[in-house]
C-alpha cells in the first residue's frame, strides 16, 4: 500500500472495534467486516488522504476518521467506510510486522476476522488464535471533552433538563461510565447510551441524532463532573439567567409610578382606562421575565375591572392589599442584586423535579372551580416513608363545556400508568417510581413515572398516631408555621373529634358550619361557603350530623386549614365512617344524594346538650385585649381604604390629624411599628398640602408598608385568638367539671 501520512497512519492503527462502533454502530461494524471478505480493495494516497476502492464505491479516509467520505448515498460512517478502515488498518499492521512479506494480509488478532490482501482473489486464511491480551489502555486524549464550553451544553439541554440533572446527581449520584477508546455513558433515566469520541462532534447516541442532542450534552457534563472539571453544585449556579438591568429598572419604575399615581388620584377619580394600563404593565413585566409581578398586576387589573363594573365582589381592602404587594415587589426588584432577582422574579411555570421512590396511599379528594376557567379535583396522598402529604391535581378547562358534557370525578383515570379510576386507589398502597414533584410536593402525571399497587392498606394503619389529631391545640401548633401561605400539602390534617355538634347555616354569609369538640372540649368548626358546586358537600355533612346522637362510632375528618381575613377556616375534604373499624373505606364529603354517612362518637350520656350549641368565642381573660386590637386594626384598615378611594390629593385637611390620632392609639395599645408607620403617613399628608407637586413615591411606600402591616397583624391575631380560645375553653370546662 502506498505511503500514508503519519497522522492518518496513527488514527487507523488506533481505531479498534469500540471506536468504530462509536462512529457507526455494532451492526454496521459487523456488516463491514463481512463484506470485506468478498472484496479486493485497492488504495491510493493523495496528500493527507487515502482513497480506498471497494468495488463500485470509493472511500476517502482522512483525519479524523469521522470526517471520511464515501461515494454511496448513505449518511455518516457507512459499511463501506468501515470496510475501508478495517482493510487499511490490516495493511498497515502487516507492513509493521517482520513477516508481512511472507503472509497474506489479514487483520490483527484484535479484529478477530480475516481480510483479503490487495489484488488477491482467494479468500484469506484464518489467523491463528492469539493469546488473550490484557485490556487495551486508550492512548486518546479526552481533553476536548473536558474543555467543551458549558454554554453550548446548557443551550442543548435547556434550563429544565439541567435542573433535573442537578437534582438526580444529588439523590442518585453519577451513572455508570466506561472509558476506553471511547467514553460510554449510560443514562438510566432516559434510557439512552452515549458514546463520546474525539472530536466530540463525532459522538453517537442511541437516539440516532447527528447533532449535539440533549443526551450527548448531558453525557459530556457527567464526564466533566466525574473527572473533577465541574462540581455538581455549579449546574444550578450556572443556570442563573442574565438580567437586563436597564429593562428591569424601566419596568419597576413604571409600575411604582403607576401605583403612586393611583394612590394620589384615588380610585373614585380613575378613568376606566386604568384597568388597561395595569394590563399593559403586566405585559411589560412578562417581557422582562418577571412572572410574580405580572400575576400581581393582572390581579390588580381584575379588581379594577370589578370596581368599574360595580361588581358586588369588589372590596377596597382587597385592592389595597394587591396594590401594596405590587409596589413592594417592584421596589425590591429595583434594589435587588443579581443573586436575589431569580427568587423575587419567580417562574412562569413551576418545574417538576425528580423525587425518590414514594409509597403512597390515597386519603381524600376535593373538587375545585377556579375563576380562571379551570375545574377539577385535588387528590391527597399520604407518603408512609416520609410521613407527610403529597397532592396530585387533575384539572381541565371548562370554556368549551356544556352541562351535558361535564363528568364527575368518579370517572377520573388513575395517573402513572395505573389501570382503572382514582376510586380504586382508596385502601391500597402504591409504589411510585421516577416520579416528579413541584414545590409544595405537588406530583406530576409525567409519562415517565411508573406506579404499581403493592397491597391493601387501611388509612388508620397508614397514618402514625401522632398525625391523627385528637388534641386540637396540638393541631394548631403543628399547622401554624405553614399559615397563611404555606403549601397545601402542609395544611392538611386528619381530626378524630370526641363530639360532633349541631350544624347551622348562616343566611347572611351563606356559610354552613359543623362544630367539633376534642376530649378537652376545645371547639373547632368546619365551614363550607354555599355555592352550587358545594351543594353535595353540605348535604352530606347534614346527613352526617343527623346520626350524631344515635350512633356510637368513631369517625374522622380530613380537613384543609386556611386563613381567611382574620379568621381560621377548616374545610372538610373527606369524612371517614367508622374510623379504625375493619373494612371501613373513606367516603368523600361530596357524596351523591342517597349515600348515608355515620356520625362521630357521642358523649357518655349521649352528647351533653350544652355541647350542641357553639360556645361564644372570647370568654377568656384576654378577650378585651383581642376586641381592642380588632377594633384598632379595623380603624387602620378603614383609614387606608378611605385614602385609596379619595386619593391623597382630595383628602380633607383633617385626614392628617386622623392618621396621627390612629398612631397614638397604636402606641397606647403596644403596636409601636404601626404607630411609626401612621405617624409617617400623617406627616406626608400634612406636607403634601403645602406643595404644588408633591413627590408621589414616598406616600405610596408609606401606604404600602402600612397596608401590609395591618394584614400581617390580622393574620397573627387570628392565630393567637384561635389558640387562646381553645386554651380558655379547656380551663373553663375543667372548672365547671370540678364544680
Amino acid at each position: 500500500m502506498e505511503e500514508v501520512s503519519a497522522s492518518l497512519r496513527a488514527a487507523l492503527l488506533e481505531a479498534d472495534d469500540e471506536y468504530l462502533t462509536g462512529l457507526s454502530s455494532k451492526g454496521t461494524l459487523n456488516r463491514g467486516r463481512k463484506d470485506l471478505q468478498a472484496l479486493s480493495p485497492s488504495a491510493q494516497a493523495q496528500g493527507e488522504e487515502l482513497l480506498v476502492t471497494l468495488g463500485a464505491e470509493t472511500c476517502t479516509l482522512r483525519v479524523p476518521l469521522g470526517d471520511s467520505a464515501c461515494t454511496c448515498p448513505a449518511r455518516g460512517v457507512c459499511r463501506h467506510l468501515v470496510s475501508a478502515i478495517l482493510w487499511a488498518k490490516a495493511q498497515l499492521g502487516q507492513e509493521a510486522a517482520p513477516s508481512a512479506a511472507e503472509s497474506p494480509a489479514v487483520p490483527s488478532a484484535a479484529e478477530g476476522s480475516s481480510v483479503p490482501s490487495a489484488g488477491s482473489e482467494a479468500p484469506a486464511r484464518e489467523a491463528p488464535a492469539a493469546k488473550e491480551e490484557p485490556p487495551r489502555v486508550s492512548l486518546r486524549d479526552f481533553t476536548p471533552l473536558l474543555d467543551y464550553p458549558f454554554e453550548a451544553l446548557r443551550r442543548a439541554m435547556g434550563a429544565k433538563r439541567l435542573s433535573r440533572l442537578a437534582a438526580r446527581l444529588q439523590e442518585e449520584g453519577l451513572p455508570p461510565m466506561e472509558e476506553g477508546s471511547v467514553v460510554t455513558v449510560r443514562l438510566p433515566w432516559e434510557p439512552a447510551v452515549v458514546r463520546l469520541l474525539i472530536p466530540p462532534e463525532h459522538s453517537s447516541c442511541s437516539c440516532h441524532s447527528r447533532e449535539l442532542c440533549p443526551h450527548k450534552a448531558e453525557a459530556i457534563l457527567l464526564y466533566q463532573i466525574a473527572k473533577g472539571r465541574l462540581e455538581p453544585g455549579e449546574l444550578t449556579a450556572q443556570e442563573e439567567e442574565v438580567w437586563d438591568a436597564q429593562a428591569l429598572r424601566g419596568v419597576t419604575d413604571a409600575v411604582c409610578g403607576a401605583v403612586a399615581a393611583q394612590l394620589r388620584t384615588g380610585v373614585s377619580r380613575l378613568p376606566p382606562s386604568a384597568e388597561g394600563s395595569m394590563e399593559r404593565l403586566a405585559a411589560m413585566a412578562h417581557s422582562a421575565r418577571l412572572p410574580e409581578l405580572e400575576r400581581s398586576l393582572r390581579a390588580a387589573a381584575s379588581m379594577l375591572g370589578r370596581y368599574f363594573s360595580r361588581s358586588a365582589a369588589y372590596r377596597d381592602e382587597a385592592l389595597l392589599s394587591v396594590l401594596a404587594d405590587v409596589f413592594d415587589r417592584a421596589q425590591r426588584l429595583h434594589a435587588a442584586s443579581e443573586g436575589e432577582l431569580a427568587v423575587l422574579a419567580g417562574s412562569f411555570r413551576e418545574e417538576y423535579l425528580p423525587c425518590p421512590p414514594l409509597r403512597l396511599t390515597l386519603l381524600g379528594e376535593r373538587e375545585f372551580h377556579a375563576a380562571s376557567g379551570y375545574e377539577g379535583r385535588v387528590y391527597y396522598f399520604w407518603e408512609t416513608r416520609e410521613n407527610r402529604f403529597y397532592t396530585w391535581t387533575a384539572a381541565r378547562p371548562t370554556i368549551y363545556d356544556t352541562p351535558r358534557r361535564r363528568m364527575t370525578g368518579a370517572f377520573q383515570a388513575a395517573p402513572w400508568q395505573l389501570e382503572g379510576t382514582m376510586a380504586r386507589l382508596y385502601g391500597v398502597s402504591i409504589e411510585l417510581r421516577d416520579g416528579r414533584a413541584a414545590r409544595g410536593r405537588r406530583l406530576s402525571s409525567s409519562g415517565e413515572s411508573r406506579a404499581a399497587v403493592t397491597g391493601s392498606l387501611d388509612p388508620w394503619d397508614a397514618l402514625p398516631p401522632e398525625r391523627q389529631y385528637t388534641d386540637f391545640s396540638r393541631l394548631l401548633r403543628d399547622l401554624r408555621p405553614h399559615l397563611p401561605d404555606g403549601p397545601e400539602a402542609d395544611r392538611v390534617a386528619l381530626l378524630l373529634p370526641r363530639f360532633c355538634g349541631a350544624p347551622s347555616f348562616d343566611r347572611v354569609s351563606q356559610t354552613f358550619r359543623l362544630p367539633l369538640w376534642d376530649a378537652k372540649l376545645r371547639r373547632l368548626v368546619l365551614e363550607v361557603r354555599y355555592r352550587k358546586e358545594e351543594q353535595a358537600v353540605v348535604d352530606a355533612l347534614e346527613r352526617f350530623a343527623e346520626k350524631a346522637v344515635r350512633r356510637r362510632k368513631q369517625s374522622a375528618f380530613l380537613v384543609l386549614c386556611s386563613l381567611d381575613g382574620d379568621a381560621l377556616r377548616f374545610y372538610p375534604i373527606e369524612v371517614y365512617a367508622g374510623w379504625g373499624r375493619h373494612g371501613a373505606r373513606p367516603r368523600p364529603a361530596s357524596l351523591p344524594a342517597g349515600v348515608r354517612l355515620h356520625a362521630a362518637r357521642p358523649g357518655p350520656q349521649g352528647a351533653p346538650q350544652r355541647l350542641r350549641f357553639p360556645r361564644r368565642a372570647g370568654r377568656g381573660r384576654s378577650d378585651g385585649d383581642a376586641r381592642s386590637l380588632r377594633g384598632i386594626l379595623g380603624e387602620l384598615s378603614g383609614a387606608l381604604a378611605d385614602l385609596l378611594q379619595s386619593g391623597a390629593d382630595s383628602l380633607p385637611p383633617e385626614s392628617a390629624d386622623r392618621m396621627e390620632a390612629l398612631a397614638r392609639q397604636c402606641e397606647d395599645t403596644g403596636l409601636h411599628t404601626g404607630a411609626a408607620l401612621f405617624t409617617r403617613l400623617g406627616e406626608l399628608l400634612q406636607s403634601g398640602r403645602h406643595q404644588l407637586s408633591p413627590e408621589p413615591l414616598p406616600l405610596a411606600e408609606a401606604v404600602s408598608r402600612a397596608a401590609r402591616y395591618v394584614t400581617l397583624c390580622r393574620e397573627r391575631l387570628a392565630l393567637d385568638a384561635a389558640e387562646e380560645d381553645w386554651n380558655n375553653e379547656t380551663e373553663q370546662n375543667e372548672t365547671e367539671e370540678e364544680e
Side-chain angles (χ1 to χ4, degrees):
M1 189 173 65
E2 298 186 20
E3 187 68 22
V4 298
S5 64
S7 59
L8 182 57
R9 176 185 294 270
L12 289 171
L13 291 176
E14 201 174 28
D16 56 4
D17 285 5
E18 186 181 12
Y19 185 79
L20 294 177
T21 301
L23 277 179
S24 54
S25 66
K26 187 67 175 177
T28 304
L29 175 62
N30 293 334
R31 178 65 184 274
R33 178 176 285 121
K34 182 178 180 181
D35 291 349
L36 185 58
Q37 297 177 2
L39 295 173
S40 299
S42 62
Q44 179 183 358
Q46 288 187 356
E48 297 292 327
E49 300 176 346
L50 180 66
L51 272 62
V52 180
T53 302
L54 299 171
E57 308 297 342
T58 301
C59 299
T60 303
L61 304 183
R62 59 174 67 99
V63 178
L65 295 179
D67 289 341
S68 302
C70 180
T71 56
C72 75
R75 294 181 57 191
V77 179
C78 62
R79 56 190 176 92
H80 306 110
L81 284 174
V82 172
S83 299
I85 293 172
L86 289 174
W87 177 82
K89 178 181 178 180
Q91 296 298 311
L92 293 175
Q94 285 182 349
E95 292 177 2
S99 58
E102 301 176 2
S103 60
V106 294
S108 62
E111 302 297 335
S113 64
S114 61
V115 181
S117 61
S120 174
E121 299 293 333
R125 292 175 296 175
E126 291 284 335
K131 295 182 180 180
E132 185 176 354
E133 298 180 358
R136 182 171 178 268
V137 179
S138 175
L139 301 178
R140 295 189 177 277
D141 182 12
F142 292 107
T143 304
L145 292 177
L146 300 177
D147 295 338
Y148 207 94
F150 178 82
E151 283 301 319
L153 300 176
R154 184 181 65 83
R155 286 194 298 269
M157 291 183 62
K160 292 185 178 180
R161 195 182 189 97
L162 190 63
S163 60
R164 289 199 296 265
L165 176 61
R168 286 193 183 101
L169 290 176
Q170 186 177 2
E171 296 181 1
E172 305 174 13
L174 289 170
M177 298 184 192
E178 301 173 6
E179 185 174 349
S181 298
V182 300
V183 178
T184 304
V185 182
R186 304 181 186 277
L187 307 178
W189 47 78
E190 292 296 341
V193 179
V194 181
R195 294 180 175 87
L196 301 176
L197 289 80
I198 301 299
E201 291 76 15
H202 295 154
S203 301
S204 63
C205 177
S206 56
C207 72
H208 306 295
S209 173
R210 300 188 182 277
E211 306 297 331
L212 181 62
C213 65
H215 307 125
K216 295 178 185 177
E218 196 166 351
I220 295 175
L221 274 179
L222 291 171
Y223 183 72
Q224 292 179 352
I225 293 173
K227 293 299 181 180
R229 181 61 61 91
L230 192 67
E231 293 295 331
E234 297 181 36
L235 296 181
T236 53
Q238 297 277 8
E239 188 185 354
E240 296 180 359
E241 298 185 59
V242 178
W243 299 89
D244 187 347
Q246 184 176 0
L248 187 144
R249 289 194 177 96
V251 173
T252 55
D253 289 343
V255 170
C256 291
V259 174
Q262 291 182 11
L263 292 176
R264 294 215 66 92
T265 304
V267 177
S268 60
R269 290 173 172 79
L270 286 178
S273 60
E275 178 185 0
S277 299
M278 300 301 281
E279 289 287 356
R280 285 191 292 273
L281 289 173
M284 292 172 59
H286 181 88
S287 301
R289 305 197 310 276
L290 304 174
E292 288 296 336
L293 183 60
E294 177 193 358
R295 295 186 187 101
S296 299
L297 287 167
R298 295 197 186 279
S302 175
M303 291 186 181
L304 286 174
R306 293 177 184 176
Y307 175 79
F308 292 121
S309 63
R310 301 182 182 276
S311 171
Y314 170 78
R315 295 290 184 274
D316 284 336
E317 293 80 3
L319 177 59
L320 182 61
S321 176
V322 173
L323 291 178
D325 178 71
V326 167
F327 188 87
D328 179 71
R329 188 176 297 276
Q331 276 200 324
R332 286 188 292 159
L333 284 169
H334 187 89
S337 62
E338 290 191 6
E340 299 171 339
L341 279 176
V343 178
L344 292 175
S347 59
F348 287 102
R349 187 175 182 180
E350 287 194 271
E351 298 182 21
Y352 286 86
L353 301 178
C355 55
L358 303 176
R359 185 171 295 171
L360 305 170
T361 182
L362 181 59
L363 293 186
E365 62 187 82
R366 70 174 178 88
E367 190 174 353
F368 73 91
H369 300 266
S372 57
Y374 283 84
E375 70 175 21
R377 285 181 176 263
V378 181
Y379 295 88
Y380 299 88
F381 291 89
W382 178 257
E383 213 289 325
T384 57
R385 293 193 183 102
E386 302 175 0
N387 283 337
R388 56 182 184 174
F389 280 98
Y390 281 77
T391 63
W392 178 71
T393 303
R396 61 188 184 89
T398 59
I399 186 172
Y400 302 111
D401 280 0
T402 62
R404 290 186 178 182
R405 292 181 59 186
R406 292 191 176 182
M407 300 178 65
T408 63
F411 299 97
Q412 174 63 47
W416 312 312
Q417 303 189 21
L418 288 168
E419 296 182 356
T421 62
M422 292 297 297
R424 299 184 59 184
L425 299 186
Y426 283 104
V428 299
S429 174
I430 62 174
E431 184 82 13
L432 176 62
R433 294 190 175 274
D434 298 326
R436 298 179 184 274
R439 183 177 53 184
R441 300 192 300 280
R442 294 186 292 109
L443 295 170
S444 168
S445 55
S446 171
E448 302 175 0
S449 304
R450 303 288 188 275
V453 177
T454 59
S456 61
L457 180 64
D458 291 321
W460 46 86
D461 295 330
L463 271 76
E466 63 270 13
R467 297 304 297 267
Q468 302 178 26
Y469 290 95
T470 58
D471 183 354
F472 292 169
S473 63
R474 187 170 61 86
L475 166 68
L476 182 60
R477 289 195 300 269
D478 292 348
L479 292 181
R480 185 162 186 166
H482 309 292
L483 294 172
D485 301 322
E488 185 173 345
D490 290 328
R491 294 185 285 111
V492 180
L494 187 114
L495 307 180
L496 297 180
R498 185 70 175 85
F499 304 103
C500 175
S504 62
F505 186 80
D506 189 341
R507 296 184 178 275
V508 177
S509 61
Q510 294 290 294
T511 303
F512 175 86
R513 295 184 175 92
L514 179 65
L516 306 175
W517 281 270
D518 65 1
K520 294 292 185 179
L521 304 183
R522 301 183 184 92
R523 186 172 63 93
L524 181 150
V525 181
L526 304 182
E527 296 188 0
V528 181
R529 289 188 175 179
Y530 181 79
R531 294 187 305 169
K532 180 178 65 175
E533 296 82 7
E534 301 285 0
Q535 179 64 51
V537 180
V538 174
D539 292 344
L541 290 176
E542 286 180 339
R543 290 192 299 271
F544 180 90
E546 290 176 0
K547 308 296 182 179
V549 178
R550 291 177 291 177
R551 298 293 179 91
R552 287 181 172 270
K553 294 180 180 178
Q554 175 67 63
S555 295
F557 296 82
L558 189 68
V559 300
L560 176 64
C561 181
S562 62
L563 198 61
D564 184 9
D566 56 356
L568 201 60
R569 310 288 185 188
F570 292 91
Y571 178 85
I573 299 173
E574 295 283 351
V575 179
Y576 287 80
W579 182 261
R581 182 165 53 87
H582 180 71
R585 287 291 182 267
R587 296 187 178 183
S590 54
L591 286 175
V595 179
R596 307 180 69 84
L597 293 175
H598 301 293
R601 182 183 300 169
Q605 285 78 31
Q609 187 66 23
R610 64 185 179 86
L611 292 179
R612 295 186 59 80
F613 298 95
R615 184 185 298 272
R616 184 178 298 276
R619 292 178 58 184
R621 293 185 296 270
S622 60
D623 180 50
D625 295 338
R627 282 202 302 267
S628 176
L629 283 175
R630 288 193 182 94
I632 291 177
L633 292 176
E635 292 182 16
L636 298 179
S637 179
L640 294 175
D642 292 343
L643 190 152
L644 174 69
Q645 271 291 333
S646 301
D649 293 340
S650 304
L651 282 175
E654 58 270 14
S655 297
D657 298 334
R658 179 186 181 187
M659 298 297 177
E660 294 176 359
L662 290 174
R664 289 192 295 271
Q665 292 185 35
C666 290
E667 189 67 36
D668 295 339
T669 315
L671 302 177
H672 305 295
T673 303
L677 291 174
F678 277 83
T679 299
R680 171 65 174 165
L681 193 55
E683 293 173 353
L684 291 173
L685 291 176
Q686 186 69 25
S687 62
R689 295 174 53 197
H690 306 287
Q691 299 177 13
L692 292 177
S693 299
E695 180 65 29
L697 291 182
L699 178 67
E701 181 180 1
V703 173
S704 172
R705 295 185 60 189
R708 291 177 61 83
Y709 174 77
V710 172
T711 301
L712 292 175
C713 285
R714 282 184 160 179
E715 293 174 355
R716 176 66 180 270
L717 182 62
L719 295 174
D720 290 344
E723 186 173 5
E724 184 70 18
D725 288 344
W726 285 351
N727 294 335
N728 291 337
E729 286 183 359
T730 302
E731 295 176 1
Q732 292 172 6
N733 288 319
E734 290 176 352
T735 302
E736 292 176 4
E737 290 177 359
E738 292 177 358
E739 294 176 354

